Amino acid sequence: RCVDVAVAALQLVETQSIKVADRDTLGQAWRQLQTSKQTWLARYPADMLTAFASGFAAGEKTRAPAAPDNGDTRRSASMGLDAFSLVDDADVAQAIETSRLLQTILPMLEQSLAELDTLMSSAQGLPNVQPECNPLRPEVFTRTLQALMRQAATEPAMLSSWSRHLAAPLGRELKL
């Protein structure tokens, strides 16, 4: 349903666009999205199960490097620039697209998600509410969707367009 709504939205924006180049890009985006739909219908549920099974949904996050030992100032001084790593532009763009998608979806889910976090924490026997332990966090759904989109998108602009037009319908579906 989300793909159908996004295709319709892209078609509408395409018809309203004044620039020929924009219309071509939007037309290509909705046609490729429509073409990808059948593959996504099969892969998205399987990828979600994989995400749940791998512990990705269980609140595991990449941990930041430990702070240097304050007692050894020579070692902490020598770490300096070696502690930093370069990040590929594609990785930065991917993180930005995921954040945008989440920023669009989260306000729609705020109340429902708070209730779900409470129920999931209780069901897991946790002493207090721990949203990061909720396996049904929107982050899991959006990251899995973003991975599918990255595999199908031929251009970064297309990925951005898909994210923009899939956000609202995905948020409505997750709220249900």
Side-chain angles (χ1 to χ4, degrees):
R1 289 190 296 250
C2 294
V3 171
D4 292 337
V5 170
V7 166
L10 283 164
Q11 288 172 336
L12 179 64
V13 173
E14 177 190 20
T15 61
Q16 294 174 344
S17 179
I18 297 172
K19 296 180 182 176
V20 174
D22 289 345
R23 281 197 311 265
D24 288 343
T25 302
L26 290 165
Q28 182 183 10
W30 72 256
R31 281 189 291 280
Q32 191 169 354
L33 184 57
Q34 196 166 24
T35 302
S36 300
K37 179 182 175 181
Q38 291 306 315
T39 305
W40 292 2
L41 283 173
R43 293 229 10 239
Y44 189 70
D47 289 355
M48 287 300 299
L49 288 174
T50 302
F52 292 141
S54 70
F56 173 68
E60 293 181 13
K61 295 182 180 179
T62 306
R63 292 195 172 120
D69 183 8
N70 290 335
D72 187 0
T73 56
R74 278 180 271 129
R75 191 180 94 210
S76 63
S78 68
M79 283 181 60
L81 296 177
D82 294 339
F84 296 102
S85 65
L86 295 177
V87 179
D88 187 20
D89 286 343
D91 293 336
V92 173
Q94 170 187 339
I96 290 170
E97 284 303 321
T98 301
S99 293
R100 283 184 187 153
L101 186 57
L102 277 172
Q103 288 175 353
T104 304
I105 291 173
L106 287 176
M108 292 182 234
L109 304 175
E110 190 172 356
Q111 183 177 1
S112 301
L113 189 57
E115 293 170 13
L116 181 62
D117 287 340
T118 303
L119 293 171
M120 290 303 287
S121 293
S122 177
Q124 293 171 339
L126 300 173
N128 54 10
V129 176
Q130 296 179 11
E132 68 278 359
C133 292
N134 179 358
L136 301 175
R137 293 187 325 273
E139 292 89 347
V140 176
F141 292 91
T142 57
R143 286 184 184 143
T144 303
L145 179 62
Q146 286 284 332
L148 276 177
M149 290 191 309
R150 277 191 306 280
Q151 291 171 359
T154 56
E155 301 173 15
M158 190 171 303
L159 180 63
S160 178
S161 181
W162 288 352
S163 290
R164 260 193 323 276
H165 291 90
L166 280 168
L170 181 62
R172 284 191 297 272
E173 289 293 321
L174 290 176
K175 189 174 181 179
L176 298 175

